[in-house]
Amino acid sequence: MTLLLLDANGLAHRAFHSTASNRSYREDGFPTFAIGRFLDLVYKALIDVGRPQCATHAAAIFDPRGKNWRHDLAPDYKSGRSHDPDLRPQLRLCRELVKGLGIASVQMVGYEADDLIATYARHAEEAGMGAVICSIDKDLLQLLRPAVAVYNPMKRSMVSEDDVLNRFGVMPPAIPCFQALVGDTTDGYAGIPGVGPKAAAELLVEYGDLETLIANAASITKPALRAKIIAGADQARLCRRLAVLDDAVPVRRDLDDLELRGADPDLLIGGLKALGLIHWPGVFAERLQVDPRSIPPHPGITELSDEIMEMVSA
């Protein structure tokens, strides 16, 4: 048995940015342009990963709104990110419509999607299942191990340990230590100023992990680098805490709830029609081998999108 874990927020952002130059809206102004592309990425992951890997379970993991435990450690965490107002309404619809592909939709207040993915990957491993993570997020590469694979949906291929080593100069478990040294501007933490990727990789190869490096910083032969590590030790420890994924989230849904189900054409195709999309209903009707003319617009999706539109306009 295999659990397919979809970094749904990451896929939705990728779909959004790939279609943002050709935006489309429903007659009332509701943005719709990223939704079909998001579902297309999910469907292709099911084809590329689900069938060859015999996926029996699947979950689309979304980030909740609001702050999480990392903000308690670093109030400015991710504060520099900009948010396009056209994205969030579509994210809410993505959460609902992905169910039409038979995939559970999961999120949990107070935790990032990456933490839930780490937790479910551990649960699957402990249950004797395989896990495949579908994401291009470098943070999730730390989870790569024999029982947990990572699939790149843009390249449509699996990521190997050699791929990680060639990209970062360290193996997957060392990625949080690497990020602690070099920082992550996307997530809003600086690491140790003046320590670049090459130096960070060389130090971790020599010393193994961050704490061993800090404990032996006096032995670093380059004076300037030695001074930076000693001065930035506490900052690096904080950054590593932010980078390490929490795999002990008290999730409310167990693995049985994530069983991969058959597609729901009424929800999927009817939902796309309810949003006024013209191209995608036909695409998914052909894939699911149903007649799109027999499926009316889904009233639940119409009602949900109307409610979101009212909230946005208020």
Side-chain angles (χ1 to χ4, degrees), residues 184-239:
D184 189 325
T185 55
T186 302
D187 287 345
Y189 53 87
I192 299 180
V195 178
K198 185 174 185 294
E202 290 175 350
L203 288 170
L204 292 172
V205 168
E206 181 175 356
Y207 293 96
D209 58 56
L210 182 65
E211 284 302 325
T212 303
L213 167 62
I214 292 172
N216 294 277
S219 67
I220 298 173
T221 57
K222 296 179 181 179
L225 183 58
R226 179 173 63 245
K228 291 172 184 175
I229 298 300
I230 293 172
D234 289 341
Q235 175 68 16
R237 287 189 175 105
L238 173 60
C239 293

Side-chain angles (χ1 to χ4, degrees), residues 10 22 40 55 57 63 92 112 151 185 190 217 252 266 270 291 297 305:
N22 188 26
D40 182 53
H57 299 69
D63 282 322
R92 180 63 186 89
E112 292 187 41
Y151 165 82
T185 55
R252 293 185 293 270
D266 289 339
D291 182 358
S305 58

Side-chain angles (χ1 to χ4, degrees), residues 32-111:
T32 59
F33 53 91
I35 296 171
R37 176 60 174 151
F38 165 78
L39 294 168
D40 182 53
L41 289 172
V42 173
Y43 179 83
K44 287 175 179 175
L46 282 174
I47 297 299
D48 291 351
V49 178
R51 292 178 181 174
Q53 297 286 335
C54 299
T56 53
H57 299 69
I61 315 292
F62 289 87
D63 282 322
R65 296 194 67 174
K67 296 182 177 181
N68 59 69
W69 61 268
R70 288 181 176 85
H71 292 92
D72 295 333
L73 297 175
D76 292 335
Y77 179 69
K78 291 188 176 180
S79 61
R81 291 192 177 187
S82 59
H83 300 281
D84 192 306
D86 279 349
L87 176 58
R88 185 160 294 281
Q90 295 184 86
L91 272 173
R92 180 63 186 89
L93 269 296
C94 289
R95 279 170 43 201
E96 195 64 29
L97 289 175
V98 75
K99 300 173 187 176
L101 289 169
I103 298 172
S105 178
V106 181
Q107 69 175 21
M108 189 169 176
V109 173
Y111 295 93

Side-chain angles (χ1 to χ4, degrees), residues 8 67 113 135 141 221 223 246 287 301:
K67 296 182 177 181
S135 178
L141 293 174
T221 57
D246 182 357
R287 289 170 172 174
I301 297 300

